[in-house]
Amino acid sequence: MSDVTLRLNGVEKFYNKGLANEVHVLRGVDLALNAGEMVALVAPSGAGKSTLLHIAGLLDTPDAGEVSVGGDVLSGRTDRRRTNARRRDIGFVYQFHHLLPEFSALENIALPQMANGVAKAAAEIRGLELLGKVGVDHRAGHRPAALSGGEQQRVAFCRALANAPRVMLADEPTGNLDPGTSDQVFEALMELVRGTGLSALVATHNLDLAARMDRVVRLEDGVLVQG
């Protein structure tokens, strides 16, 4: 695994910078994700892991340092360029699925592809392929309200991978599920990552799940440490 898909170099982030209540959230964070690698991000609540994920995913900008995706430095670029890179190269999964309720599971996966110019028929073929990988292709025509929590999150994984990104960023992706369902859904996520060769940074409080990934990084006092 030598191909670096995501790199953070010296990333700094402040809130209320220069004020009496200034908070130094990230203090020179360095991280490299390799293709095909799953990395667990572990941190206490309020430590800044969501901030780190948002910066890594080009949703927020660092106050210092660089963010590179596929070797292309994107921190400091225009909003349009970062948005295009995010749509093309990064998939997001959150604790809550955020599926569009008025559309079916398949439509939820096809729509991001169609927004990127893929024809509807081709988008649906890929959607069915992804749903098959996580074992819910038989639920393709159902709207989110008719799906179980585990099924909804599997669909959310597929949506995140719809445009074949280089990187998946997941913020507590199984945190809203019961332990048994959480384990099954995490297995589905691992199979998707392994089967596509992308890299994944997964924030989790579940140390058992973290231990099943390739490595663990911890955010402590704004700095990433291994293990």
Side-chain angles (χ1 to χ4, degrees):
M1 295 188 297
S2 59
D3 295 332
V4 176
T5 57
L6 174 70
R7 187 184 296 277
L8 277 62
N9 285 329
V11 167
E12 304 267 345
K13 186 66 178 180
F14 295 84
Y15 290 126
N16 304 317
K17 189 172 184 180
L19 301 178
N21 59 341
E22 176 182 285
V23 179
H24 197 174
V25 183
L26 303 177
R27 302 170 181 266
V29 168
D30 296 315
L31 176 67
L33 293 186
N34 298 303
E37 182 181 38
M38 289 189 74
V39 176
L41 172 61
V42 177
S45 296
K49 59 180 172 51
S50 292
T51 297
L52 176 57
L53 288 174
H54 288 166
I55 290 175
L58 308 175
L59 291 168
D60 196 359
T61 56
D63 292 306
E66 291 184 342
V67 179
S68 303
V69 180
D72 187 10
V73 177
L74 292 162
S75 47
R77 302 298 187 184
T78 64
D79 286 346
R80 181 175 181 180
R81 182 166 179 184
R82 288 188 294 111
T83 297
N84 288 339
R86 186 167 61 247
R87 287 177 175 173
R88 181 184 65 244
D89 292 326
I90 299 173
F92 292 91
V93 178
Y94 298 98
Q95 180 173 347
F96 299 98
H97 57 78
H98 297 302
L99 298 173
L100 298 174
E102 65 272 31
F103 294 100
S104 69
L106 181 58
E107 289 169 335
N108 266 278
I109 301 167
L111 286 171
Q113 300 175 71
M114 294 166 65
N116 271 8
V118 177
K120 180 180 179 182
E124 290 183 343
I125 289 172
R126 174 158 175 78
L128 285 171
E129 176 187 354
L130 288 169
L131 288 170
K133 288 181 182 294
V134 296
V136 291
D137 47 325
H138 62 293
R139 306 286 276 165
H142 292 72
R143 293 184 179 182
L147 304 175
S148 70
E151 288 170 338
Q152 290 169 346
Q153 199 65 326
R154 291 179 193 218
V155 175
F157 293 162
C158 295
R159 180 184 58 185
L161 296 184
N163 287 322
R166 296 173 185 263
V167 179
M168 174 185 279
L169 301 173
D171 195 354
E172 299 287 351
T174 63
N176 196 41
L177 304 173
D178 65 79
T181 304
S182 173
D183 188 71
Q184 294 172 4
V185 169
F186 183 75
E187 282 293 333
L189 174 60
M190 288 188 69
E191 290 177 12
L192 277 178
V193 172
R194 302 302 189 207
T196 55
L198 83 164
S199 56
L201 180 62
V202 182
T204 181
H205 283 104
N206 189 323
L207 298 183
D208 290 334
L209 294 186
R212 291 159 63 182
M213 299 187 224
D214 296 309
R215 58 188 170 103
V216 178
V217 295
R218 298 179 184 275
L219 187 59
E220 298 179 357
D221 297 323
V223 178
L224 273 188
V225 296
Q226 300 291 325

